[in-house]
Structure formats: C-alpha cells, structure tokens
Amino acid sequence: MGGFTLNDILATRKPRDSWWTVFMVDPLACRLALLVANHTSITPNGLTRLSMLIGFASAAAFAEGMLVAGAALFYLSFTIDCMDGKIARLKGTGTPFGLWLDYVGDRLRVVCCAFGLGFGEYSRTGDADVVLAAVGVVVLDLFRYINGPQLKRVKDATRALVEARLDGQCVLAESVLRGRPRAELGQAAAEFGQVADETGATVVDLQKAFHARFPWYDRFRVFLVRRRVRTHVMSGIEFHAAVFVVAPLLGPAALVPVSAVAGALLLAFEMSLVYRVWLASRQVPSSAAEREKILV
C-alpha cells in the first residue's frame, strides 16, 4: 500500500526522547511502524485505541497474577503507543483529537495496570503494601502531569518578565540551544553572538546559577543529546517501565521495593525541576542595569 522505507520511519522519531524509548522501544516500534505504514490503512487514532485495549489486557493479566504476561502486554501497549505519532508524522494524518486520546489513553493504562497489579496481589497474599504502592504509583503519575504544565507557566512568565525588563534586547540561552542542541552553551552563545552583533541582542542564561552549582551538567546534556536522549533521565516513561515491566518480571517480591525506588527517583527528579525553575526566577534582574548577572 505504501513505499516507505525504514529511513522514512527513522526520520519521524522525536529529536530527543526518553532513554527507555530510544534504546528499549524504538528499535522494535520503528520496524512495526514500517509494516503498518506499508501494509495497512490503520490510522494513528486506531493505533492509540489498540494500545489502550492491550493496556487493559495487561491490567487484567496483572489482576489474575500473570505478572510476566502483564509485563509483556504493557511493553507491547507502550510500543504501539510510540508508533501512532510516527505514523501521524509520516503520513500527515494526525488530528488534534488524537492528542487528547493519546493523553487519556496513557492515564487510563497506568491507573488500570496499577490497581490491577495492586489489588490482584492483595487478593492472593493479603499484603496491604501492594495496594499502597498502587495508590502511590497513580498519585505520582498524576502529580507529574500536574507539575509539568504548572512549571511551564512559571518558566514562560519568568521569560516574559526578563524580556520586558531588558526591553526585548536579549535572546534566552534556551532558544539558542534549541537551534544548536549538540553544542555546549558557551560555544552556542559565541556562534549566535557572531550573528546577533548587528541587532545588539545579547544571550542571557536564566540557568546561570544552576550551571554555576553544577558545571558538569552542560557536558552531560550534550552527551545525551548526541544519543537522542533527553535530560529527563527519570521521567514518567522510565517510572512506568520500572513498575509495570521490570518489577513484574522480577517477581511478586520486587513489586513494592521497585515501585518505591522508582517513585523516589521520579519525585527527586520532579523536585530538581522545581529547584531549577526557582533558581531561574531568582535570576530575573530588577532593571536593565542588572542584566550582567544573567549574561552568558
């Protein structure tokens, strides 16, 4: 039905993604997406619905104590979930409703699998800790999706305030790096400066205090970017993989400790994001005369 190649599919991958997706899912998802694109007429929304159904089957398997089957089905569900965006970008068939469906499908899969796992194990063992772990997984997942948009609002407000106080004669370091993601900040700023001299714009770094405290971070970011991995090293995707794939494969005794460790790491990462945004908000100059403190 189509003449797409694997290179066409690879070109639809996100420029940066979670390390679990890059190394553990995309090698399979890209090849399955190639088969779907060339030999079926299934739509991205159809793939999302299929992913949801397999996610529900994973929850049912967990509830019946079939942990290995549940883990395999959860992995397959997530793999198909990674395919819908690739097909949408490849064929230009994505829809705004598809964004909503994908988001809701992810949340339903997590809730159903968490309680299928928790209450299924509780019914067999009577151990209330697995139920508490299931509730914790759901709460942390929802917190992550609430925290992200709120942090973005704070970041946008901080950027707008900086631009207003510097009369717009500045470019944020994040914007410079977006166009030169594989360069370290100093190099990217120098390259940009050569172009921006005529306009008088300067590069300001709202993360200057953070970089001063953690000078290794920029090199670490470049290391990950060159491997198509984002700096969210413990995002929701890795959290879900630990709880619903790794822990069940290790056996019932691993469910609570793996969930607890993964949850603690996720929470620590979310708090690090809050810390960075807080540091950036403190960097806002009260006037153009104070802009030196955030210049690159």
Side-chain angles (χ1 to χ4, degrees):
M1 296 179 65
F4 301 108
T5 67
L6 182 58
N7 285 335
D8 293 329
I9 299 292
L10 295 177
T12 66
R13 297 176 302 176
K14 297 175 182 177
R16 281 177 286 178
D17 214 331
S18 71
W19 64 263
W20 176 265
T21 301
V22 170
F23 298 118
M24 304 301 293
V25 178
D26 265 355
L28 175 60
C30 288
R31 285 156 180 82
L32 291 177
L34 180 62
L35 292 175
V36 169
N38 282 333
H39 301 290
T40 76
S41 58
I42 189 169
T43 65
N45 286 352
L47 286 171
T48 301
R49 290 191 290 269
L50 177 60
S51 172
M52 292 171 64
L53 289 175
I54 296 175
F56 296 150
S58 173
F62 285 142
E64 292 298 318
M66 298 183 290
L67 299 186
V68 174
L73 287 169
F74 187 91
Y75 175 83
L76 179 60
S77 174
F78 182 73
T79 299
I80 294 174
D81 190 34
C82 289
M83 292 165 54
D84 57 11
K86 294 176 175 60
I87 298 296
R89 289 186 287 273
L90 181 70
K91 295 185 175 182
T93 53
T95 66
F97 179 77
L99 298 174
W100 177 88
L101 185 65
D102 188 59
Y103 175 86
V104 172
D106 288 347
R107 304 287 66 71
L108 288 176
R109 177 174 58 205
V110 169
V111 171
C112 291
C113 286
F115 286 112
L117 196 56
F119 286 101
E121 288 303 302
Y122 175 74
S123 67
R124 282 181 291 278
T125 65
D127 184 1
D129 287 345
V130 290
V131 177
L132 293 176
V135 173
V137 166
V138 172
V139 169
L140 281 174
D141 187 64
L142 292 177
F143 168 73
R144 179 176 65 92
Y145 272 92
I146 292 171
N147 190 45
Q150 294 307 312
L151 285 181
K152 184 179 184 303
R153 289 181 61 187
V154 175
K155 289 169 66 176
D156 290 344
T158 303
R159 292 190 193 104
L161 187 57
V162 168
E163 291 172 351
R165 290 189 174 169
L166 298 184
D167 298 322
Q169 294 300 308
C170 66
V171 176
L172 297 177
E174 289 183 6
S175 300
V176 174
L177 288 176
R178 198 172 296 120
R180 301 164 176 79
R182 292 173 176 262
E184 292 188 21
L185 178 57
Q187 176 189 351
E191 293 174 356
F192 176 82
Q194 295 174 3
V195 178
D197 281 344
E198 295 180 1
T199 65
T202 54
V203 179
V204 299
D205 182 15
L206 290 177
Q207 297 297 326
K208 194 169 185 177
F210 178 83
H211 292 147
R213 287 170 170 78
F214 306 98
W216 50 266
Y217 176 81
D218 203 40
R219 294 190 298 274
F220 177 63
R221 177 191 61 79
V222 173
F223 173 82
L224 293 179
V225 166
R226 290 176 177 173
R227 288 154 181 80
R228 206 171 62 82
V229 176
R230 62 190 183 190
T231 54
H232 296 55
V233 292
M234 190 59 193
S235 67
I237 291 174
E238 287 82 13
F239 178 56
H240 299 159
V243 172
F244 300 120
V245 179
V246 176
L249 290 178
L250 293 177
L255 295 177
V256 173
V258 170
S259 297
V261 171
L265 290 174
L266 177 67
L267 188 59
F269 176 75
E270 290 295 320
M271 291 303 99
S272 74
L273 295 180
V274 173
Y275 176 66
R276 290 188 64 182
V277 171
W278 174 72
L279 281 179
S281 68
R282 296 182 65 200
Q283 292 290 108
V284 178
S286 59
S287 66
E290 291 188 0
R291 72 175 188 170
E292 294 297 326
K293 69 179 184 180
I294 55 174
L295 292 180
V296 174

